Amino acid sequence: MTMFVRMLTSTVKMATSARSTVLRPCTAANRNMIMFYSKVPRGYKAQQQQAERKIGFVGYIFLVVPATTFCLGVWQYNRRRWKIDKIAELDQKVKRADPISLPDNLEECPDLEYMRVKIKGRFDNSKEIFIGPRSLLDMHGGSGGFGVISSGDKVGWHVITPFQVEGGPRILINRGWIPRTKMDPSQRKEGQLEGPVEIIGIMRQDEETSSLTPPNKVESDSWYSRDISALASRLNTEKVFLDLDGESSRYAADRGGPIGGQTRISLRNDHVQYMLTWWGITIATSILWAKRFIW
């Protein structure tokens, strides 16, 4: 009986203590405790920071970078279109345009590059200069070999010969391509044109070279690029240079002579890689800008 009374008394005390805890007034300490244990909704802090974040003047300044690179990409796209049209125009001049006469004022020749010119006169076969090595171009302007490291008869030299225009100046003619086995004129006697001939050639200017192109050695007649002034001085001609076209060289080529039609339209068209580079920078900087000022 005594044990039962003790257990009942203990139960009453525990109930009283719990009731006093639940009904305890809400003091400042209790509020801090409640706030401490309360859980902030997910994303609340990030949303609050995003609401407080502003782009500001600096953000708009940095926005100039992707905008500028995008415009540069559009400019390269337009340049690529222009270059394609220009190459097509030059191809028309080289292969299909009606030939013109050699101007009386030779100072006009630099403005006539890639124009077809018809002349009549004689070759001076006693004086030849070779420029090379060069790969053979086919009738469509493509390389017949694989560059200057090709083997066999796909790599050779261009034959530069003085040409006396009938009643006019003495100029330079690139008669075309020959393999290294025919650099000696005695190996192509039947292809050496004698007497008056009427030919069509393509007006050319100095050749653009890279750092990999060796300099010409005039004294030893080792020529690696088309330097019209130096060639004219060496062969005592005017500073006028024509590439003989394929049709005009056909007779000589069929008899072992130089193969004409070796005009390569050399216009760099690497605008695609520039365009993709600028637009790649646009995407990268736009993402970085958005992460910094928006996301």
Side-chain angles (χ1 to χ4, degrees):
M1 187 67 176
T2 303
M3 181 64 69
F4 175 77
V5 172
R6 289 179 180 178
M7 291 176 61
L8 182 60
T9 303
S10 177
T11 301
V12 172
K13 288 181 178 181
M14 291 176 63
T16 304
S17 176
R19 180 180 179 184
S20 63
T21 301
V22 173
L23 298 179
R24 184 178 298 173
C26 184
T27 62
N30 292 338
R31 280 199 302 271
N32 291 338
M33 184 179 298
I34 294 173
M35 290 299 296
F36 179 76
Y37 284 104
S38 64
K39 187 175 182 180
V40 178
R42 181 176 298 178
Y44 172 79
K45 187 174 182 180
Q47 293 174 2
Q48 186 179 20
Q49 290 177 350
Q50 183 175 355
E52 295 175 354
R53 181 179 297 178
K54 296 180 180 179
I55 296 177
F57 177 75
V58 176
Y60 289 112
I61 290 296
F62 280 108
L63 191 59
V64 172
V65 176
T68 301
T69 54
F70 176 79
C71 293
L72 289 172
V74 173
W75 177 67
Q76 288 294 336
Y77 174 83
N78 293 330
R79 285 281 296 174
R80 174 181 174 272
R81 184 68 263 170
W82 172 84
K83 187 64 67 67
I84 292 174
D85 293 340
K86 186 66 175 179
I87 292 174
E89 176 188 346
L90 295 179
D91 184 70
Q92 169 70 20
K93 286 183 179 180
V94 169
K95 297 180 179 178
R96 288 177 284 275
D98 294 332
I100 63 174
S101 300
L102 186 69
D104 295 330
N105 183 6
L106 298 182
E107 293 182 357
E108 299 177 7
C109 291
D111 299 326
L112 301 177
E113 186 169 21
Y114 293 112
M115 292 293 295
R116 303 178 74 216
V117 179
K118 179 185 288 187
I119 53 177
K120 186 176 182 180
R122 300 173 174 268
F123 286 106
D124 183 0
N125 293 317
S126 64
K127 296 182 178 180
E128 292 181 341
I129 283 180
F130 304 99
I131 298 179
R134 289 289 190 274
S135 58
L136 173 64
L137 299 183
D138 59 26
M139 294 299 292
H140 302 287
S143 175
F146 296 94
V148 296
I149 61 174
S150 299
S151 59
D153 286 344
K154 294 300 183 181
V155 172
W157 274 258
H158 288 177
V159 182
I160 313 303
T161 307
F163 186 87
Q164 180 62 54
V165 179
E166 190 176 82
R170 179 180 168 95
I171 64 174
L172 297 163
I173 300 291
N174 174 13
R175 293 185 59 200
W177 179 94
I178 58 170
R180 66 185 70 196
T181 56
K182 292 188 177 182
M183 293 183 68
D184 186 350
S186 63
Q187 300 295 321
R188 44 184 167 87
K189 288 182 180 180
E190 295 184 4
Q192 298 292 84
L193 299 179
E194 303 289 348
V197 292
E198 187 175 71
I199 60 174
I200 295 177
I202 313 301
M203 185 72 71
R204 302 307 308 273
Q205 298 302 316
D206 287 340
E207 183 177 0
E208 294 184 4
T209 59
S210 67
S211 58
L212 300 178
T213 305
N216 295 322
K217 299 177 182 179
V218 180
E219 296 77 12
S220 60
D221 272 340
S222 298
W223 300 81
Y224 303 98
S225 61
R226 185 178 59 249
D227 185 340
I228 297 177
S229 296
L231 288 167
S233 176
R234 187 67 171 173
L235 295 176
N236 191 26
T237 69
E238 298 292 338
K239 299 176 183 178
V240 179
F241 190 103
L242 300 179
D243 283 341
L244 195 64
D245 74 351
E247 190 61 33
S248 297
S249 71
R250 189 178 300 279
Y251 179 86
D254 290 342
R255 290 159 177 78
I259 302 173
Q262 300 301 304
T263 300
R264 186 190 299 271
I265 300 177
S266 55
L267 289 181
R268 295 179 60 186
N269 189 12
D270 46 10
H271 297 289
V272 172
Q273 68 183 57
Y274 293 141
M275 177 181 67
L276 295 178
T277 298
W278 286 125
W279 283 346
I281 295 175
T282 300
I283 294 173
T285 53
S286 297
I287 293 174
L288 292 175
W289 184 88
K291 291 181 67 175
R292 172 64 179 82
F293 296 102
I294 296 180
W295 296 341

